[in-house]
Every structure is written in C-alpha cells, then in structure tokens.
Amino acid sequence: MNGLRYAKDVVVSTLRSVAHRSGLLYQKRFDPAPDDNAHYDLKLGYASSHTYALAAVAAGTSVLDIGSGPGGIADELANKGCHVTVVDRYLPRVEHPRVEMIQQDLDAPLRFDVRPFDYLLLLDVIEHLRDPEGFVAQLRRQFDYHTKKVILTTPNVAFIVQRMMLLLGQFNYGKAGILDRTHTRLFTFRAHQAPLAR
C-alpha cells in the first residue's frame, strides 16, 4: 500500500465531508438521510433569522407557523405561552399541548384559515414554492380587519459566502443552505420584499 497516497485520500475525503456538512459542496455519498425535513435545524444562540423571529412574537399570542419543518420554532413558541398551529407537508415531531398540526403541501390550494392568528410565520419557506407570489396572494385574500404580523424570511442569494463561492466557480446545490436542492426560487433582499408588496 502506498502510505502517502492513502494519507492524501483520507485528507481529501475528510475535507469533502466537512465541505458537505457545511453546505458548501453537496455530495450524495455523504448524505444517507431520507428525503424529509428533519435536517432543518434550529438556528438559535446567535444572531439568526430564528432568533429574531422568536423575539418578535409576543408571549401568549396565536401563531400560524407555515412550513414549520421539524417543529423546533413551534416548540419554542409554545414554551413562551403561545398557541401554535403548524402547517407542513411532513408532520413535525412536536408533542406539546399548545401545538396543533395541519398536514398540507403548500403548492396545493390552501386548506387552512389565517384569520384566527395574530402572527403568520413563513421562515425560509417561500423559496421552496413553485409560485411564491401566488401563495402569498392566497394568504392575503384571507386577511380581515384584525391586525396580523407576518414574519417572512428567505435565504439571501447575494450573501457574501455565496459570492465568494461564485468567485471560485462554485454553484453547488445541496441538502440545505442557500442552494438547497428543493429551492425553486432565489431572492435578494429587495426581491424578498416584492411578494408582500404586491
């Protein structure tokens, strides 16, 4: 056995695995997990969209978490005393008396009512939809005179890390991150505001 070549192969494979786990270079062989939403982790403990969204929701309010993923945000909000209804294609693994669940493919006509809720959360959701503007229009048609707060986030395709990767000739779709394989649309900060402004 060529020891130097083996050592080089180990180092290269390790670096590729690190790049895969960080979302920089997706490789199927490092991804044995099933195709569901369990790999979307909570981003808490630092300045993130999840941290800001949780802080923006008042305790004790009613929240509709649309595209809730595994349900981590719903669990955190329920612990704040909020009544939370989650909507997702896959039912989350949350067992909390303050959390209700609706299973729905968000690309299908909506089967839920937004009117009873104080807050609508769409955290990293619209970039997965075939028609984000149409989806937001469906939500808006249900609005009435009760004040609602909509908290909507989406990855910024112009993020500095993504710009650096483009500079290096890399545009690799993967399991999560800005270039998630299930993203159908990519947004800049200005384009992110457009679906709600219309």
Side-chain angles (χ1 to χ4, degrees):
M1 175 184 289
N2 185 332
L4 288 177
R5 181 176 177 183
Y6 176 75
K8 181 197 89 166
D9 291 344
V10 168
V11 170
V12 169
S13 292
T14 301
L15 291 174
R16 285 180 175 169
S17 175
V18 169
H20 168 82
R21 284 183 277 120
S22 65
L24 297 176
L25 181 63
Y26 178 80
Q27 295 180 75
K28 183 67 177 168
R29 65 181 166 164
F30 295 122
D31 184 18
D35 288 332
D36 60 13
N37 63 7
H39 60 280
Y40 294 115
D41 297 324
L42 271 180
K43 297 178 275 190
L44 297 179
Y46 58 96
S48 71
S49 57
H50 288 169
T51 300
Y52 292 133
L54 283 172
V57 176
T61 54
S62 59
V63 182
L64 182 63
D65 187 0
I66 303 171
S68 60
I73 291 288
D75 198 38
E76 294 288 331
L77 289 169
N79 291 333
K80 278 181 73 167
C82 297
H83 178 78
V84 185
T85 300
V86 300
V87 181
D88 203 280
R89 181 178 175 188
Y90 304 100
L91 290 178
R93 302 181 190 103
V94 177
E95 295 182 7
H96 199 293
R98 290 182 176 273
V99 177
E100 297 180 17
M101 302 181 197
I102 299 171
Q103 189 169 20
Q104 154 119 46
D105 181 346
L106 297 178
D107 282 318
L110 302 186
R111 301 189 316 268
F112 55 87
D113 187 358
V114 305
R115 286 173 293 182
F117 299 96
D118 303 311
Y119 290 87
L120 305 182
L121 300 186
L122 294 108
L123 306 182
D124 299 336
V125 172
I126 63 168
E127 68 274 7
H128 295 270
L129 304 178
R130 287 194 301 260
D131 180 13
E133 291 84 0
F135 177 82
V136 172
Q138 286 185 76
L139 295 178
R140 289 182 70 174
R141 281 195 289 272
Q142 295 187 37
F143 285 15
D144 56 19
Y145 58 89
H146 291 105
T147 302
K148 299 189 185 316
K149 292 188 178 178
V150 177
I151 301 174
L152 187 151
T153 65
T154 190
N156 180 3
V157 72
F159 181 53
I160 187 64
V161 172
Q162 199 56 53
R163 291 182 185 213
M164 295 302 294
M165 294 301 291
L166 281 169
L167 187 63
L168 297 171
Q170 299 295 315
F171 197 76
N172 300 303
Y173 277 85
K175 188 90 179 235
I178 294 174
L179 295 180
D180 186 314
R181 289 180 303 151
T182 63
H183 288 177
T184 62
R185 293 276 297 278
L186 298 173
F187 295 85
T188 62
F189 183 76
R190 182 176 294 176
H192 178 205
Q193 297 172 319
L196 285 180
R198 292 178 182 168

